[in-house]
Amino acid sequence: MNSMEQTAVFAQEMPLEAVPAEIGLPFAIILGLLFGSFLNCMAMRIVRGENWVSGRSRCPSCGHVLGAADLIPVLSFLFLRGKCRYCGKKISPRYPITELLFAVITACIYLRAGVSVLTIRLFVYACCLFALSLTDLEARIIPNGCLLLALVTWAATEPFLFTGWTDFWLHVGAMIGAAVLILLLVLVMDAVLKKDSMGGGDIKLIAVLGLYTGAVGMMFLLFFASILGIFYAAARGRLKHGEAVAFGPFLAASGLFMALWGEIPVEWYLRLAGFVQ
């Protein structure tokens, strides 16, 4: 048994201390609300080309610096009745919506993995996907930093979640294979349509998703993302006018779904194909 396999066995035999659900779940929800607020603010600053690491939060309408009482996720919006305390202008519902949405995501991660190394991997992965979804929706930007952090997190946690070299190389192969195949398809589509069919950020995102999802899971991920994208475009009337749609959020949503519950469709497919009994 090599050192990586020994580390994985140790991690499985010595799991992190179990936390009762009545404590862990509320903590996960609060953590999700806080990070949902942070990620939303970070995405907005990235879109505006501002420094997202430092600087006080300000009202987007009047520019007044916000106090601690103005920054409580969801509750501040409710107490202020959706209006700025200083100028009275309406606060975008984007703030409570993103906070609540990420709280739900964090709760799902906790229910799926409890308190473990897998939870750390999934949480950072979700943060990266959530942030890039917001920037892509608003400005068609997929920050390289989000993709790099997801890659580093996978590599850092892999020794503790290692299940064998076969599975390891299948995931690495899925990352490389998905990127190459999509790139070739995009080049062909660009030549046929005489315009860009997919941005470079989407291709890099697909590569990262392949690393987390694996080969078979990637097939379902692309299928789910395409269905979501088509429904969204149809609902917004984009199909009729041939307008481009930001594909990153649908890739991200499908990637997160596959990370949490991907074994369900994958196992169904493997059984249907006769690979497992």
Side-chain angles (χ1 to χ4, degrees):
M1 182 181 294
N2 57 43
S3 59
M4 183 174 284
E5 291 172 336
Q6 289 175 341
T7 302
V9 171
F10 178 79
Q12 293 170 359
E13 293 177 349
M14 299 291 293
L16 297 176
E17 185 178 356
V19 176
E22 57 270 20
I23 297 176
L25 186 57
F27 177 82
I29 293 173
I30 293 173
L31 186 67
L33 290 171
L34 293 173
F35 268 84
S37 178
F38 167 74
L39 293 171
N40 181 47
C41 178
M42 182 185 76
M44 294 176 68
R45 291 188 180 188
I46 290 175
V47 169
R48 294 196 295 257
E50 299 175 356
N51 186 346
W52 60 268
V53 178
S54 61
R56 298 285 300 276
S57 296
R58 298 175 179 272
C59 171
S61 298
C62 65
H64 196 287
V65 175
L66 301 179
D70 305 315
L71 299 173
I72 303 173
V74 180
L75 294 181
S76 292
F77 182 88
L78 295 176
F79 291 151
L80 295 173
R81 298 181 180 179
K83 295 181 180 180
C84 174
R85 183 194 305 274
Y86 309 100
C87 67
K89 295 291 182 63
K90 287 187 177 181
I91 302 173
S92 171
R94 164 178 172 164
Y95 293 91
I97 290 174
T98 53
E99 291 160 359
L100 288 170
L101 179 57
F102 199 71
V104 171
I105 291 173
T106 307
C108 289
I109 292 174
Y110 172 76
L111 293 174
R112 170 68 175 80
V115 180
S116 64
V117 176
L118 178 60
T119 302
I120 297 173
R121 171 186 280 188
L122 292 176
F123 180 76
V124 178
Y125 181 55
C127 286
C128 295
L129 295 181
F130 196 76
L132 67 85
S133 295
L134 294 176
T135 58
D136 197 30
L137 275 174
E138 188 170 352
R140 305 291 176 84
I141 297 173
I142 296 182
N144 288 327
C146 291
L147 302 177
L148 180 60
L149 178 58
L151 284 174
V152 171
T153 300
W154 190 90
T157 55
E158 182 60 15
F160 301 96
L161 301 171
F162 186 78
T163 56
W165 286 109
T166 299
D167 184 68
F168 174 85
W169 289 115
L170 283 175
H171 281 258
V172 173
M175 175 182 68
I176 299 172
V180 171
L181 288 175
I182 293 298
L183 177 59
L184 293 175
L185 178 61
V186 167
L187 291 175
V188 172
M189 293 298 294
D190 289 352
V192 173
L193 299 175
K194 305 299 182 183
K195 63 178 182 179
D196 293 339
S197 57
M198 180 179 286
D202 291 326
I203 298 174
K204 289 183 285 186
L205 173 57
I206 287 172
V208 173
L209 295 174
L211 181 64
Y212 275 82
T213 307
V216 178
M218 198 63 200
M219 176 181 66
F220 283 97
L221 187 153
L222 291 174
F223 173 75
F224 293 148
S226 299
I227 294 299
L228 289 174
I230 290 172
F231 274 114
Y232 174 82
R236 298 296 297 271
R238 300 286 181 85
L239 291 179
K240 184 184 299 184
H241 301 93
E243 298 178 24
V245 174
F247 197 38
F250 308 112
L251 287 169
S254 300
L256 188 58
F257 171 82
M258 291 301 297
L260 292 172
W261 304 290
E263 71 276 3
I264 298 174
V266 169
E267 184 176 351
W268 169 82
Y269 172 78
L270 293 177
R271 289 183 182 279
L272 185 66
F275 291 107
V276 296
Q277 299 297 323

